[in-house]
Each structure stands twice: as structure tokens, then as C-alpha cells.
Amino acid sequence: MEKSKKDDHQAVLNEGEENELEVFGYHTQNLRRALCLVTAILTLGAVQLMFYWRPEWWVWTSCIPCPLQEADTVLLRTTDEFRRYMRKKVFCLHLSTLKFPISKNPEEPLVADHHSVINQAVMKPELKLRCIQVQKIRYVWDFLKKRFQKVGLLEDSNSCFDIHHTFGLGLTSEEQEVRRLVCGPNAIEVEIQPIWKLLVKQVLNPFYVFQAFTLTLWLSQGYIEYSVAIIILTVISIVLSVYDLRQQSVKLHKLVEDHNKVQVTITVRDKGLQELESRLLVPGDILILPGKISLPCDAVLIDGSCVVNEGMLTGEPISFWTLQKGPHGESIPVTKTPLPQTENTMPWKSHSLEDYRKHVLFCGTEVIQVKPSGQGPVRAVVLQTGYNTAKGDLVRSILYPRPLNFKLYNDAFKFMVFLACIGVVGFFYALGVYMYHEVPPRETATMALILLTATVPPVLPAALTIGNVYAQKRLKKKKIFCISPQRINMCGQINLVCFDKTGTLTEDGLDLWGTVPTAGNCFQAVHSFASGEPVPWGPLCAAMTSCHSLILLDGTIQGDPLDLKMFEGTGWNMEDGQVASCKFGMSDSSPVIKPGPEASQSPVDSITILRQFPFSSGLQRMSVIAQLAGDLHLHVYMKGAPEMVARFCCSETVPENFLQELRNYTVQGFRVIALAHKTLKMERLSDVDRLAREKVESELTFLGLLIMENRLKKETRPVLKELSEARIRTVMVTGDNLQTAITVAKNSEMIPLGSQVIIVEANEPGDLVPASVTWQLVGTQEPGSGKKDTYIDIGNSCVPGGKGYHFAMSGKSYQVLFHHFYSMLPQILVNGTIFARMSPGQKSSLVEEFQKLNYYVGMCGDGANDCGALKMAHAGISLSEQEASVASPFTSKTANIECVPHLIREGRAALVSSFGVFKYLTMYGIIQFIGTSLLYWQLQLFGNYQYLLQDVAITLMVSLTMSINHAYPKLAPYRPAGQLLSPQLLLSVFMNSCFTCIVLVSTFLSVKQQPWYCEVYKYSECFLANQSNFSTNTSLEQNWTGNATLVPASVLSFEGTTLWPIVTFNCISAAFIFSKGKPFRKPIYTNYLFSLLLTSAVGLTLFILFSDFQDIYRKMEFIPTTMSWRISILVAAFVQFCVAFFVEDAILQNRELWLLIKKEFGFYSKSQYRVLQRKLAEDPTWPPTNRTDYAVNGKNGFYINRAYESPEEVPKGKLTLGGQASEQHFWTRL
């Protein structure tokens, strides 16, 4: 019963998606709410402020838990590591407000689509729905499934048959009205945030609230100058933040504004065509595509085809669709084909597998050409509207970015809490001292609060971000643009970089090398393009001229660079198709290919492309149906990955030495494309559009290979070498052939000379055979290769005594390992270097798996198929000519991988700067705390100008200039510390605090022992009588009567005069010691402004210490002392500096010493990949070679070794092994 109540009280929203949320139901109690409001009033808004920061507290105090079905308030919690809460009110939509009668019969559906959640969400006879709005998406309560479900989209459970027949004729006007009310408008509306609202959000930040309290307290005590300086700095910071947020809001508003104003034509059932504004579209509407149009929604094509420019969007909000860009960043037109009319009940996306995108027109993209089928206009069914669309999802990812989980920021918060706790101790210490001396309560409370605020410097947040600001400016000079400055520090921890191949490691364009035709089941002589001779006419030439997705747009041929290069090699031309419908039964928009002046002699005058089955990275192939002029039959041509094309060919047409020939070219680094053909007999040409792809792509004849050369970029090898020397792992993640990828990796020295390559080939389970994984040495794949395998230590291994081996696998094998050998996958990944034929989704998954092993992952790609991985990585770098792309945090306008070491260098410099500034400000707070606490002992404190000089002239300026140091030009073979709560940093702060405490306490006690000392505020006459004993300036002695009347809590004292120079020198020393240069930043003397500042600060302090000017002493509230004592103060400060510098530089920053200590005491890295590397280094059976392992019962996580056993030799009984398998996950915080 209790479990049932709990299930009713909570549910999961968007289960399995990136934005998954837990939702809890609550009912508001008026009495509780009234008590909360009264408490908020009595605490002057303090409680309300806490509720603003923690909305869950408001819900827990003012509401009681209840089933979600009865809730009027819901509490949502993210399921990620941050566990953030948000509160939403449940509201109702009343269908009775519609202008037409609605049946109240529960059995009668409200909309024709029986899959729709609307039918299950309407309460009858009340005719209302319960809704919540979360991050721009509307959800309705499903009474059948007892959970909130999205509206504003067609359910994925619809089959191809459902989409064609339920929505093919359009919706009725009544159903449209119902859907408009429930789903809301088809609009992506971004409100321009009012300045006052942005200002309030900034000001109510917890730290700014604490800062306001601190500054109010200081101002009340007359500490005006520094308070005003901090106020000015804070106001500037807030104004800049508000301005930046406002500009972003305006830009985003302008970006989506036109989307909501498109005029469209739809089909209304029984009423025909109707024009309306795009904001009135609903899921299920039939959208007519007349020609060029900017798509206002996501839609699935059901009739005709079209060419779309998908470069209108700048990123991939979710990894289900792909931006396609040319070699120079220009957009490549994408051909979309209609959804097939099949009669099965399989969900339409499952029917199309990974390739369902070829039927979908995404919101925000532009239709640039339509191709009617001959049966009417091009039509599409509206799939998703508003923020449910691809563009809506993109905008939501900008409005609600995923928070960063970087240990530095978590540790910084913990450290600030620790400093605040020290402040609390000081608060009670001050209370005790002042109450003991019977000081009035008001003054006691004020002085205690001053000590409370002393430990947390108000300049800390600005100081922590200033390093990123400087780094961002330096990156901009190198043409690297950043939209997420917080990630710059993360770049300092990167220890693994994934690279796409084509366009990233290799040149964008491909050069034609040659063709290898086949005849009679044998490969023929190579036709070399270097000879200058055109490709001789034949089926292979016909395939090259017609099997592509090129289009003629404004007289220019546009499309994929590979298709363009292949087509140019034939010497044929493309023309606008003006073919009579009666002749072909087709549209006159079919492209026509004709021989050009440089083409070889051909008996065919023209080729007309009648239908295309577009290429996708998931299918690894494309095909076309074409008509050769004068030929009564149609022809099918296919091109794609050789292994894939061969599967669709009759085995007798594929040469026996196909794999060997393919390998001969791929091992040389060539890009190889296979082509195939068959003749298609059709009774009616008009039936071409009804042909299923599966029928067309079968029983083909293998035509041969097209060999293309893909050269390495000149920057690739030196950059990979630099990363290797810095012990940063490099991994290739590509959609290309495995052998080609291995060759490119060897040529680029990603795989060092002499290292082993082990191909991991995994297979799905069969009827009688479980899933298997085979390990094959590249050198032993072909008998008699005679290659000798050498084991060497390499940077990528990082295991003492480890062997230099690299795993290589395809996307198919990766998928099988992920599902059937998950516990083995981490062991492969720690030495996996080549991942070929990877789909966009697999690339994202691979990056995530690396992250689970505690790698800090960088991803560098050209944006074509890498968007998901670029967003998933800690630092995604897109090579694009655009200045910024939401596909990744970093965008390099220089289209080569030199940006990667630049970014890592700047990240390391920014990280070290952040640590240095943090340590300095922590020490500054502790130094001030100790000095002030000592003076509190006798009811005194430093003077305003004493504080001002330390706070403004030193600390504030140090915080603003310490991070100016440029990054060191050479990457060190190790990373800077990644966490504040490390032994080195904690010891550094602790040791320096101890030194400070010892020196300050010693001098505080020593000054009391001097013969000229007196307690000034108690014995003012004694002080005046003994002035001559220590004054070195007679005029000063004669004019020092202004301070004769002294009171308790006075600033004037020998203790204050003694402690201030030491505290000031300590602050300067800490700034110098913590401003570390090599190996991550340039030396301190290259930071001219910072060096000048420290030198000036030392000079000014020395001047104040040794001068005898009356005005200075009056303003600084000092008492002149003997010269010998002043020299003693300087010596004490210098000795402390020397000791602190030696301990910091020779011990705490001595990496060799710490490595020795760790080795002696057996401390090793707890990162998952390090643990695995140590474990595998001790395993004599690893890496496996020339063997096959099988999964047990297909379960995830367990496997057995069946070396040298073929499935036929294994008895059936042995293959069915029992035992419950359990998954072993490597879930860790990033």
C-alpha cells in the first residue's frame, strides 16, 4: 500500500532522454502558506530569499505530498548529478471554451489519432485537461498511464500506414481547434527579458547578498573608500552581466522572430486548401510545399521529394539529425524522400531504422527545391510544433544550458564555506572578548560581524573569473571563439582528444586517383585519372554520372564534395530536366545528365535521374533509379562503403579477391567507394515512387571501385606529436573505412612506428551462437605477410612496462561490445585508438564512455557528423568559419587541429591562474583575520587607510593582474592539479597560515617587551611623555598632540603600527609566491603590469615604514617607532618570505618529491582508467590476440574464451551456460 502511494506521488518525465526529470505531486495548504508568508515578513524577507534560492523548501513547508493526479503544485528534480529542483503550478485547460459542441461520452475519442495522448488526458464529463509547462514544453496528465506526457507532437508509435491514412487527407477543422487549445501555438517565442528582471536575478545571487551585507557593515563603520571601490567593481560587473544577458536575449528573439510569421498552405479534410499563419499549425496538419519556404515546424514528407538547406541551423540540439557542411563551411543541400506506404504496424521510425531523418523536414531549415511525384503537390504531415521541434530544442538548449560539473567550482564552494566557518569562530571570539570588557552590545555586535566578514574577500568571484576573461581574449586572437568561458578551465585538465578524420586530420577535398572496374568476376586494369583520359563509357561510368545527390541551383551544381569530385571526373554535365510527363510519367524536375566536351565517347545522349535513395551515415550507401535515353528499361545504381555495397550484390559478381584488393588500397590510406548496378523492369514508370528501397537495393551487379586520395593536413603530424609528448591520448573517431583509418593513424603517427594494432571484431548473437568478439593482429590477418610485431612503450599506454598496442574497431563492433560485453568495454577503451564507421550516436556514446573512465575528453571535428559528440565532450572544438556555433563550446576559424594544443595551453594557464588567485585571496583573508584577531584582544583594529592600502592598492590590483600571464608555449608532459582540496594546496594554505600566525603573534608579543612600549589607549600621558624616545623627527614630536585624547577601540597603538607592515609584506609575498610561471604559464617577469604592481607595493610599504612624515603618520594612524624596531619588522617579514618561498617552491611544488612520496606510501591515482591500466599491465593474457570470446547467454558483462573453436565445433549444450549476469558500470562524476 505504501509503495502504491509512493508511485502515485511521483513519476518520471521524459524517461531515458537527456532532459529526464523526476516529478512529485503536492497539494497547497492555505494555513501552511500563511505561516510561511508571516515568517517571511517577520524576517524582513530573509526566509523568502531562502525560498527563492531553494524552491523545494517552499514546497515542503507550504504543501503536503499527494498523488500526482490530485496535485495543484509539482516539484521537479533533475536526475543528473546536480539534482536541481524547480516548482511548477498545475493548470487546467477547458475544452468547453471551444465554439463547437464536444461529446462527453467517455467511449468516443476526441481526436481521430488513436495513439494520441489527448484522448487519454481529457476528463469527461468535465471536458478539461490538467497540464504543466516545463522549460517551454507543455505536458498533460495521462489518466491511463498515470503520468505527465508531452503534447505538441505526433506519437512515435504511429506506423507509416497510420501517418498516410490517418493524416493523409488532413485534419477536420474541429480537431484542429482541439489540438490548438491543447498543444498551444506553433511558435518559438523568446521573451526579451526586461532589464529590471535581469537586474533582480543578478542582485539576488547568494554571494551578492552576502557582499551587500558586508559592505553595509563596513560603510556603517566609516570604511568608505574600499567599500565604494568594491561597490563600483560590483556594479560594473552586474551591469556588464545584465547587458550581456540582455544582448543575448535580443539576439535570440530576433533569430526566432521570423519563424512565427510564415504564411503556409494546409489541407483541411472536406474543405480543401487553406492559407493560415504558421503559428496556427498543429501536429497532424497536411503542409503543402509549393517551392522555396522556411519550415516553421518539423514535418514528415509523404508525397514528392525536396531538397533542403539544413545549414540554417547552427548545431545539433539532440543527436538525431545532422548538419552537413562543405569543405569551407558552406551548406550542402540534402535530399528528402517521402515516407513509404507500408501496411505493417511497426512504428515509422523503427521501420526506417537510423535513416528516418531522410523523410523528416526540420524546423528552421529551408526548402530550396521541390520535386512533385506527378500525383499532386509535395506534401508533408506536421510532426512537431513549437519548442518540440529541432529548432525549438536548439533554442531551449541555449535558454536552459546544462550546468557544468567541474571539481574546481565544487571545491571552491566548499572552501568558501570553510572560510565562512573560520569567520563564525572569529565572530564568537570577538563576542567573548568584547563582552568580557563590558563594551556596549551594539558595538560588540558590530565588531563581531566585522571579524565574521573578514575571511571571505568580496572580490573572490570576480577574481576567479578574470583568468577566463583574459584566456578568452587570447584565444580570440588565435581565432578560437568560445561561448562557454567556464569550460576554459576544463581544457586545462584534458588528457584525451578524439579527432574526426575527414576534414579534421585530412584535407577536406578528395582527389580522384583511379577506378578499378570489374568484368567476369575479376578486377580489371586500373584507370588512372593522372593520365588525363576520361573514364571510358560503361556501367561504371554511368554509375559515377548518376549516383549522387547533386542538384542544379541557379545554374551551379551543388552538393557533397565527394559527389562533386566524382561527377567532375566523368566529364558529364547536369542540366535542368524538361522531360514530358507523358513520356516518363514523371515530374519535369528530374535532373538530366548529358555528356560534356571532355567526356569519353558514349552511345547514350542523356541520363535522367528519376528517384534517389539518399546517403546516410547509418546506411553507408545511396542509390538512384535512372533512365538512359533510348533504353526501355530503368537502371539502379548504388555507391557506398565497399563492404556494405558488396552485401547487396550477387555473390557471383563480387571478385573473389575483393577483400584483398580493398585492403591493398585502404592500407595506403586511400578512400575507397564501391559501385553496383542492376536493370529494373517496370511495367509503368509512374510506379517508381512506390518502390521500396529494400526491393530496389537487391541482387545488384558489382561494378568496381572508385579510389580517392585523402591527404593529411600539413599541421596534423606535428600537432599529434606535440600532444603525444605531453602525454595526452589521441583517438580517431571516423565514419570512414577501418583500414583507411588505421593507415591514416599510422601515417600521422597517432599510432607510433612499431606499435601493434589489434582489430576487435564483434558479432551479434545468432540462433545458436551467442555474441562473440574476435581479436586479430593486423600483421597476422594475411598469411605470409612476414611482418614482425614489435612491443614498445608509448605515451598512449601510460602503464609502466606496458606494451605498445592499440585496439581498432568499427561502429558495428562497438555497438555489440556495448550491449553484450559491457564489462569488457572499459578494458578496450583504455587502449582503443581507432573507431571507424561510427554513426553520430555512437560517437556521442563513445565520448560518454571515456568520461565514465574519468578521462577529461576533448573532441575536435568539422561539425558534419560530430555535433552530438562535440556537445558531450568536456571541450568540443568545431572547425568552422563561423565565429560561434552552439554545436560546441569552442569554434576555430582556422580549419586545422592546431587549435587543440592552443586551447589546452590556455586552459592550463587559466586553471593555474584560478588556483593562484584563489590561494592568494584565501591567504589574504586568513592574514587579515589573524592580524585583526590579535588587535581585537585589546579592543583595537587597523585603521581605514591601513585597510584601504592593503585592500585596493594591493589585493584588488593583484586579483585583476595576476592572471595576465600568457600560457607557456610548450605543453608539459603532465597536467596541473585539478582540485582545490588537494594535499599540495591544503598544505600550502596551512603552512603559510602557520608562518603568518607565528610571525604575527611573535611580533605582537615582542613589541610589548620593548622599553619604550606603553598601552597607548590606556596610558596616553605615558605615550606623550615618551615620544622623544622613539621619534626620529623633532617636528613630528612637536605636532603629535592631536591624538592625545584616546578612547578604547582606538586604532592608534604600537601593536597596530607593528603588525600592519608585516601583514602588508605578507600579502605581497603571497601574491609573488602563488603567481607560478613555468611549466604552465610564462614567468612572472613577463607579466609587466603585475611585476610593476608588486614592486610599487613593496616600495610604498618600505617608504611608509621608514619615513617620518607627520602627514603620513596621521593619515595612516601610526605611532613612530625606533629605527632598530622598524628594521626588525622588515627582517621578520623577509625571513617569513624566504621560508614560505622555499617551502612552496622546493617542497609543495616539487613534483618529483610528491611522486616519490606517493610511490613510497603506495598512493596511486584512483581514476578508473589508471586503475584499469595497472590491472591490465599485470595481466599476462592481455591484450588478447588471435582468439574469439563468447558472451554468456548474451548477457551484458560476462564472457568466456573459446579460442580456436568454431561455432560448429561447440556442442549445443556448451553454448547455453547459466548464471545471472550483472552489469559493472563505471559511473563517476566528471
Side-chain angles (χ1 to χ4, degrees):
M1 192 66 176
E2 288 295 324
K3 189 176 185 300
S4 176
K5 284 183 179 179
K6 185 180 178 182
D7 291 342
D8 290 342
H9 167 59
Q10 70 180 73
V12 177
L13 221 57
N14 309 321
E15 191 167 3
E17 297 180 27
E18 188 179 349
N19 58 338
E20 184 179 86
L21 296 163
E22 291 176 298
V23 56
F24 305 90
Y26 288 88
H27 185 75
T28 306
Q29 286 258 310
N30 290 329
L31 181 59
R32 283 188 172 205
R33 189 176 181 183
L35 287 172
C36 288
L37 291 174
V38 169
T39 308
I41 293 168
L42 293 175
T43 56
L44 302 177
V47 169
Q48 195 64 34
L49 195 59
M50 296 301 294
F51 289 155
Y52 172 78
W53 292 334
R54 304 299 294 266
E56 66 272 24
W57 292 359
W58 167 256
V59 174
W60 293 336
T61 53
S62 64
C63 306
I64 58 171
C66 71
L68 280 166
Q69 190 167 328
E70 303 165 9
D72 60 11
T73 300
V74 294
L75 189 63
L76 299 119
R77 183 175 66 192
T78 60
T79 56
D80 56 20
E81 63 269 34
F82 303 100
R83 313 292 278 180
R84 291 165 295 138
Y85 284 92
M86 62 186 97
R87 174 175 62 99
K88 296 292 175 184
K89 295 292 290 181
V90 178
F91 62 94
C92 290
L93 294 173
H94 297 272
L95 298 179
S96 55
T97 58
L98 297 173
K99 297 178 181 177
F100 54 88
I102 294 176
S103 170
K104 296 184 179 180
N105 182 1
E107 302 299 323
E108 191 174 335
L110 199 61
V111 295
D113 176 15
H114 63 277
H115 295 281
S116 177
V117 68
I118 297 175
N119 289 325
Q120 299 159 19
V122 176
M123 298 169 61
K124 294 185 178 182
E126 296 92 341
L127 294 180
K128 68 177 183 180
L129 302 90
R130 303 178 68 255
C131 311
I132 55 173
Q133 193 97 2
V134 182
Q135 294 183 345
K136 305 291 186 182
I137 300 290
R138 183 175 291 179
Y139 300 83
V140 297
W141 177 254
D142 185 335
F143 286 93
L144 191 65
K145 295 182 179 177
K146 302 293 182 186
R147 65 183 182 191
F148 283 101
Q149 301 225 83
K150 275 184 196 176
V151 289
L153 70 167
L154 290 187
E155 278 67 19
D156 288 342
S157 52
N158 281 295
S159 65
C160 297
F161 181 85
D162 291 330
I163 289 177
H164 277 280
H165 292 84
T166 306
F167 306 107
L169 298 175
L171 302 175
T172 63
S173 54
E174 290 81 9
E175 185 169 335
Q176 283 179 325
E177 290 299 323
V178 170
R179 286 180 179 267
R180 279 178 195 142
L181 177 66
V182 176
C183 301
N186 173 40
I188 300 174
E189 294 173 330
V190 176
E191 176 194 0
I192 297 178
Q193 291 276 357
I195 291 175
W196 69 267
K197 191 179 284 187
L198 293 170
L199 197 59
V200 167
K201 282 184 179 178
Q202 287 291 312
V203 170
L204 292 183
N205 180 288
F207 189 85
Y208 283 133
V209 171
F210 175 77
Q211 196 176 57
F213 167 74
T214 302
L215 294 174
T216 303
L217 182 67
W218 290 355
L219 285 168
S220 69
Q221 293 302 299
Y223 189 34
I224 296 171
E225 292 85 350
Y226 181 58
S227 300
V228 169
I230 294 296
I231 289 170
I232 291 171
L233 190 67
T234 303
V235 168
I236 291 172
S237 175
I238 290 174
V239 167
L240 289 175
S241 295
V242 169
Y243 174 78
D244 190 39
L245 290 169
R246 172 79 174 188
Q247 288 296 102
Q248 288 181 22
S249 183
V250 170
K251 283 180 183 176
L252 202 54
H253 175 79
K254 288 179 179 177
L255 179 71
V256 300
E257 189 177 19
D258 294 338
H259 160 89
N260 305 322
K261 300 177 181 177
V262 181
Q263 287 294 123
V264 295
T265 303
I266 64 169
T267 301
V268 182
R269 193 181 291 254
D270 302 328
K271 291 187 179 180
L273 299 181
Q274 178 184 338
E275 279 199 15
L276 46 73
E277 200 173 277
S278 60
R279 65 184 297 111
L280 298 176
L281 287 174
V282 294
D285 270 334
I286 290 290
L287 186 64
I288 306 297
L289 303 176
K292 286 190 177 182
I293 183 176
S294 179
L295 287 161
C297 60
D298 286 355
V300 58
L301 206 59
I302 62 168
D303 200 5
S305 60
C306 61
V307 179
V308 180
N309 175 12
E310 290 190 343
M312 301 296 288
L313 290 176
T314 55
E316 181 172 311
I318 45 180
S319 56
F320 69 75
W321 68 278
T322 308
L323 275 180
Q324 300 197 31
K325 291 187 177 178
H328 303 292
E330 73 273 9
S331 301
I332 297 172
V334 182
T335 302
K336 301 290 183 175
T337 57
L339 190 72
Q341 296 192 45
T342 57
E343 306 223 349
N344 60 36
T345 57
M346 187 188 300
W348 71 275
K349 284 186 180 179
S350 301
H351 177 271
S352 301
L353 300 175
E354 290 183 10
D355 210 31
Y356 72 89
R357 299 185 302 273
K358 67 185 178 182
H359 310 303
V360 179
L361 308 172
F362 294 103
C363 176
T365 60
E366 186 179 9
V367 176
I368 54 178
Q369 195 176 85
V370 295
K371 300 177 182 178
S373 63
Q375 302 171 356
V378 177
R379 300 183 305 144
V381 175
V382 176
L383 271 182
Q384 298 173 130
T385 58
Y387 277 97
N388 292 292
T389 62
K391 185 172 182 177
D393 225 358
L394 177 62
V395 174
R396 284 199 315 119
S397 71
I398 299 170
L399 292 173
Y400 309 103
R402 185 182 176 188
L404 288 175
N405 183 20
F406 188 36
K407 203 163 181 61
L408 170 65
Y409 304 124
N410 294 337
D411 289 351
F413 177 76
K414 292 174 185 175
F415 220 91
M416 288 173 71
V417 170
F418 170 72
L419 292 177
C421 291
I422 293 177
V424 171
V425 172
F427 175 81
F428 288 108
Y429 160 77
L431 278 181
V433 170
Y434 276 77
M435 288 172 69
Y436 175 78
H437 288 91
E438 299 180 350
V439 176
R442 182 175 178 180
E443 187 180 347
T444 298
T446 302
M447 301 307 287
L449 288 172
I450 287 174
L451 197 57
L452 170 67
T453 59
T455 54
V456 184
V459 76
L460 188 57
L464 282 176
T465 57
I466 199 76
N468 286 344
V469 173
Y470 292 137
Q472 196 173 1
K473 286 184 177 180
R474 290 194 292 268
L475 286 171
K476 196 172 182 180
K477 288 180 181 177
K478 294 182 174 73
K479 296 185 178 180
I480 301 171
F481 298 86
C482 174
I483 61 170
S484 180
Q486 301 93 332
R487 287 186 184 263
I488 294 176
N489 277 335
M490 271 191 178
C491 296
Q493 285 291 291
I494 286 175
N495 54 359
L496 184 149
V497 185
C498 298
F499 291 100
D500 181 34
K501 184 182 77 69
T502 308
T504 304
L505 297 175
T506 59
E507 296 287 354
D508 296 295
L510 294 164
D511 293 322
L512 294 174
W513 186 84
T515 59
V516 188
T518 59
N521 194 23
C522 295
F523 283 110
Q524 304 300 302
V526 175
H527 169 81
S528 174
F529 285 98
S531 66
E533 295 294 324
V535 179
W537 172 254
L540 184 66
C541 180
M544 291 173 63
T545 59
S546 58
C547 192
H548 51 70
S549 57
L550 302 175
I551 65 166
L552 197 65
L553 191 63
D554 299 327
T556 306
I557 299 175
Q558 295 187 11
D560 186 271
L562 186 149
D563 285 350
L564 272 170
K565 188 64 72 172
M566 179 184 73
F567 184 71
E568 287 169 3
T570 64
W572 285 51
N573 296 326
M574 181 180 286
E575 298 180 4
D576 283 322
Q578 299 293 333
V579 187
S581 300
C582 59
K583 182 177 178 182
F584 292 102
M586 302 299 295
S587 162
D588 63 358
S589 62
S590 299
V592 176
I593 316 298
K594 292 184 177 181
E598 297 180 3
S600 59
Q601 192 66 31
S602 166
V604 177
D605 294 333
S606 64
I607 301 175
T608 305
I609 301 172
L610 304 180
R611 187 175 177 191
Q612 292 179 353
F613 297 97
F615 175 84
S616 81
S617 53
L619 296 177
Q620 299 177 6
R621 68 184 187 276
M622 78 161 290
S623 55
V624 297
I625 301 175
Q627 170 119 22
L628 276 60
D631 196 335
L632 297 177
H633 300 303
L634 302 183
H635 295 265
V636 175
Y637 296 103
M638 176 191 282
K639 83 168 192 302
E643 309 94 326
M644 183 62 70
V645 171
R647 291 184 197 175
F648 293 89
C649 295
C650 299
S651 57
E652 61 271 15
T653 68
V654 180
E656 292 181 1
N657 63 336
F658 164 71
L659 291 175
Q660 183 178 351
E661 189 77 7
L662 174 63
R663 189 172 184 277
N664 286 340
Y665 291 107
T666 55
V667 295
Q668 297 177 63
F670 288 116
R671 177 82 178 268
V672 183
I673 305 294
L675 299 109
H677 159 264
K678 83 170 180 180
T679 302
L680 193 65
K681 296 180 180 179
M682 298 286 296
E683 294 181 3
R684 292 185 303 171
L685 297 178
S686 56
D687 291 339
V688 166
D689 270 350
R690 297 190 181 90
L691 285 172
R693 185 166 190 166
E694 292 76 14
K695 182 179 178 182
V696 173
E697 295 177 338
S698 63
E699 299 180 353
L700 298 164
T701 299
F702 191 81
L703 294 179
L705 303 174
L706 173 64
I707 314 299
M708 307 182 88
E709 197 173 10
N710 195 194
R711 289 188 293 269
L712 279 176
K713 291 181 179 178
K714 66 179 186 297
E715 302 85 4
T716 297
R717 193 177 284 112
V719 168
L720 294 180
K721 183 181 179 182
E722 183 180 8
L723 294 176
S724 177
E725 288 173 352
R727 300 187 72 80
I728 296 171
R729 271 192 68 187
T730 52
V731 171
M732 188 188 299
V733 188
T734 178
D736 207 345
N737 175 275
L738 181 59
Q739 287 292 349
T740 302
I742 292 172
T743 304
V744 170
K746 287 183 175 180
N747 291 342
S748 65
E749 297 179 11
M750 182 180 283
I751 296 177
L753 185 66
S755 295
Q756 285 184 305
V757 178
I758 301 169
I759 291 180
V760 182
E761 185 176 349
N763 295 297
E764 293 280 358
D767 293 335
L768 298 175
V769 182
S772 64
V773 55
T774 301
W775 317 80
Q776 190 73 32
L777 272 172
V778 168
T780 60
Q781 279 189 305
E782 289 185 17
S785 63
K787 290 189 179 179
K788 184 179 178 182
D789 296 311
T790 308
Y791 295 93
I792 60 170
D793 290 333
I794 60 168
N796 280 4
S797 179
C798 300
V799 182
K803 292 168 283 189
Y805 61 91
H806 301 257
F807 291 121
M809 71 181 75
S810 66
K812 170 183 163 290
S813 296
Y814 173 80
Q815 203 71 12
V816 174
L817 289 168
F818 188 87
H819 290 295
H820 300 284
F821 297 89
Y822 190 76
S823 67
M824 187 192 287
L825 185 61
Q827 301 171 39
I828 297 172
L829 293 185
V830 292
N831 278 91
T833 303
I834 307 296
F835 299 86
R837 296 290 188 220
M838 297 285 279
S839 69
Q842 289 170 342
K843 288 183 181 183
S844 300
S845 171
L846 178 66
V847 169
E848 188 176 9
E849 291 303 315
F850 276 129
Q851 290 173 336
K852 290 177 185 176
L853 292 174
N854 300 138
Y855 281 110
Y856 276 88
V857 184
M859 173 72 198
C860 183
D862 59 1
N865 290 311
D866 312 312
C867 296
L870 288 169
K871 292 185 106 176
M872 179 64 70
H874 292 106
I877 313 159
S878 175
L879 305 183
S880 168
E881 289 192 354
Q882 303 300 316
E883 286 196 3
S885 167
V886 295
S888 65
F890 300 95
T891 305
S892 172
K893 287 185 74 176
T894 306
N896 61 61
I897 62 171
E898 282 183 332
C899 58
V900 175
H902 285 323
L903 188 58
I904 294 174
R905 277 193 289 268
E906 290 297 346
R908 289 181 173 186
L911 187 59
V912 170
S913 296
S914 296
F915 273 62
V917 170
F918 192 90
K919 284 166 67 176
Y920 169 73
L921 288 175
T922 300
M923 274 310 304
Y924 166 72
I926 292 173
I927 291 168
Q928 288 276 22
F929 178 80
I930 295 170
T932 307
S933 298
L934 289 171
L935 292 179
Y936 267 36
W937 186 255
Q938 53 194 38
L939 308 185
Q940 290 187 306
L941 75 165
F942 293 117
N944 279 359
Y945 282 101
Q946 295 173 23
Y947 275 125
L948 189 66
L949 192 62
Q950 291 172 346
D951 291 344
V952 177
I954 299 175
T955 301
L956 185 58
M957 299 310 296
V958 162
S959 302
L960 296 177
T961 59
M962 185 186 274
S963 303
I964 296 178
N965 288 51
H966 285 238
Y968 197 73
K970 181 177 174 60
L971 278 174
Y974 53 91
R975 298 175 295 162
Q979 50 186 9
L980 283 171
L981 303 182
S982 61
Q984 292 98 321
L985 186 135
L986 293 175
L987 273 174
S988 176
V989 172
F990 176 73
M991 296 293 284
N992 278 281
S993 300
C994 290
F995 299 151
T996 299
C997 189
I998 291 167
V999 172
L1000 289 179
V1001 171
S1002 299
T1003 51
F1004 180 78
L1005 296 175
S1006 295
V1007 74
K1008 294 177 181 292
Q1009 309 302 318
Q1010 300 306 310
W1012 38 259
Y1013 171 81
C1014 70
E1015 294 182 338
V1016 176
Y1017 66 91
K1018 287 185 179 179
Y1019 309 105
S1020 56
E1021 293 84 0
C1022 172
F1023 159 65
L1024 292 169
N1026 287 280
Q1027 272 190 79
S1028 58
N1029 291 337
F1030 48 75
S1031 177
T1032 58
N1033 190 320
T1034 55
S1035 62
L1036 183 64
E1037 176 187 346
Q1038 293 164 2
N1039 292 287
W1040 193 260
T1041 55
N1043 284 310
T1045 55
L1046 301 172
V1047 294
S1050 169
V1051 171
L1052 200 64
S1053 69
F1054 284 107
E1055 290 86 351
T1057 303
T1058 299
L1059 292 181
W1060 183 86
I1062 295 179
V1063 167
T1064 307
F1065 280 127
N1066 272 0
C1067 291
I1068 298 169
S1069 300
F1072 179 83
I1073 291 168
F1074 295 150
S1075 183
K1076 188 162 177 61
K1078 193 178 176 180
F1080 304 115
R1081 303 196 309 165
K1082 285 187 177 179
I1084 187 173
Y1085 57 80
T1086 61
N1087 186 346
Y1088 305 117
L1089 196 58
F1090 182 69
S1091 301
L1092 178 63
L1093 172 70
L1094 291 190
T1095 306
S1096 303
V1098 170
L1100 181 61
T1101 309
L1102 287 172
F1103 175 74
I1104 292 172
L1105 177 62
F1106 288 103
S1107 70
D1108 282 326
F1109 295 106
Q1110 177 186 344
D1111 290 340
I1112 292 176
Y1113 274 73
R1114 283 184 181 281
K1115 285 288 185 184
M1116 295 299 294
E1117 299 177 86
F1118 285 155
I1119 302 174
T1121 58
T1122 61
M1123 182 59 68
S1124 60
W1125 182 246
R1126 299 182 203 184
I1127 293 171
S1128 301
I1129 291 173
L1130 182 61
V1131 168
F1134 182 73
V1135 169
Q1136 184 191 339
F1137 165 74
C1138 292
V1139 172
F1141 182 78
F1142 174 79
V1143 170
E1144 183 74 21
D1145 203 58
I1147 299 175
L1148 299 177
Q1149 296 297 328
N1150 188 331
R1151 186 168 182 270
E1152 290 73 20
L1153 176 63
W1154 282 97
L1155 289 175
L1156 182 64
I1157 291 170
K1158 287 180 179 180
K1159 185 178 179 181
E1160 288 297 320
F1161 289 93
F1163 292 123
Y1164 296 103
S1165 170
K1166 294 181 181 178
S1167 296
Q1168 291 291 341
Y1169 73 93
R1170 291 288 192 190
V1171 173
L1172 274 170
Q1173 285 172 340
R1174 290 194 295 270
K1175 177 183 173 184
L1176 295 175
E1178 296 169 0
D1179 186 351
T1181 66
W1182 193 267
T1185 54
N1186 302 325
R1187 81 179 198 203
T1188 301
D1189 297 331
Y1190 294 85
V1192 176
N1193 274 356
K1195 293 288 184 182
N1196 199 6
F1198 284 83
Y1199 57 93
I1200 56 173
N1201 180 15
R1202 296 267 173 81
Y1204 310 108
E1205 287 184 350
S1206 67
E1208 291 80 7
E1209 294 169 340
V1210 181
K1212 188 186 293 185
K1214 286 179 69 177
L1215 289 174
T1216 55
L1217 299 176
Q1220 184 66 33
S1222 61
E1223 297 185 11
Q1224 179 184 4
H1225 291 284
F1226 293 89
W1227 290 102
T1228 57
R1229 296 183 65 188
L1230 301 184

